[in-house]
Amino acid sequence: MLQSVACLVGAGKLFKRLTAARLDNTLEAEYRRLAAVELLIIDDFALQPLTPAQTTDFYEIITERHLRASTVVTSNRDASEWLPLMTDPLLAQSAIDRLTSTCHELIVEGDSHRRRQRPPAPQVDDPAPATP
């Protein structure tokens, strides 16, 4: 079996995939696959409250990977804001404690990356672009 080196997945898509795995009885296999990846990047975590199943899934993923593989979580929220968004405070705190116990936290401030990539607005004295 070929092991993936890295996996980047949006949190919303990850939880949808785990919901589908729960429905077709492949959840344990999906947990094993996620645990085996050397670097798991969960993007846009905690944009909205988590359901009970999503809270459990997050806990299971983090505990399986803790001290075994690297996990990066990106979020527009501080980790201290995650706890109220999860339905089970005990599972949530346990997952967050594991995740943050050996973490390196990077805080990016200022304009968003997407805003910085946006083309500049035309200057008032610039002529309007010609239409074809």
Side-chain angles (χ1 to χ4, degrees), residues 4-8 37-41:
S4 296
V5 175
C7 177
L8 166 63
V37 175
E38 289 181 35
L39 172 62
L40 176 63
I41 304 168

Side-chain angles (χ1 to χ4, degrees), residues 31-45:
Y31 283 156
R32 283 192 303 276
R33 191 184 73 70
L34 290 167
V37 175
E38 289 181 35
L39 172 62
L40 176 63
I41 304 168
I42 303 172
D43 192 28
D44 285 336
F45 181 72

Side-chain angles (χ1 to χ4, degrees), residues 9-12 14-19 22 27 30-31 34-35 40-66 68 70-75 77-101 103:
V9 63
L14 173 66
F15 291 130
K16 284 179 186 173
R17 191 164 75 198
L18 293 169
T19 297
R22 186 174 276 105
L27 185 60
E30 192 65 27
Y31 283 156
L34 290 167
L40 176 63
I41 304 168
I42 303 172
D43 192 28
D44 285 336
F45 181 72
L47 290 180
Q48 55 192 6
L50 277 67
T51 66
Q54 292 169 338
T55 299
T56 299
D57 290 339
F58 183 68
Y59 169 81
E60 292 295 335
I61 292 166
I62 297 306
T63 56
E64 269 307 305
R65 298 181 58 76
H66 182 63
R68 294 185 190 112
S70 297
T71 305
V72 173
V73 178
T74 71
S75 181
R77 299 180 191 269
D78 186 80
S80 65
E81 298 176 66
W82 297 353
L83 188 61
L85 296 173
M86 296 189 217
T87 55
D88 185 325
L90 183 62
L91 289 182
Q93 189 63 59
S94 181
I96 292 168
D97 286 348
R98 283 177 172 83
L99 191 61
T100 59
S101 68
C103 80

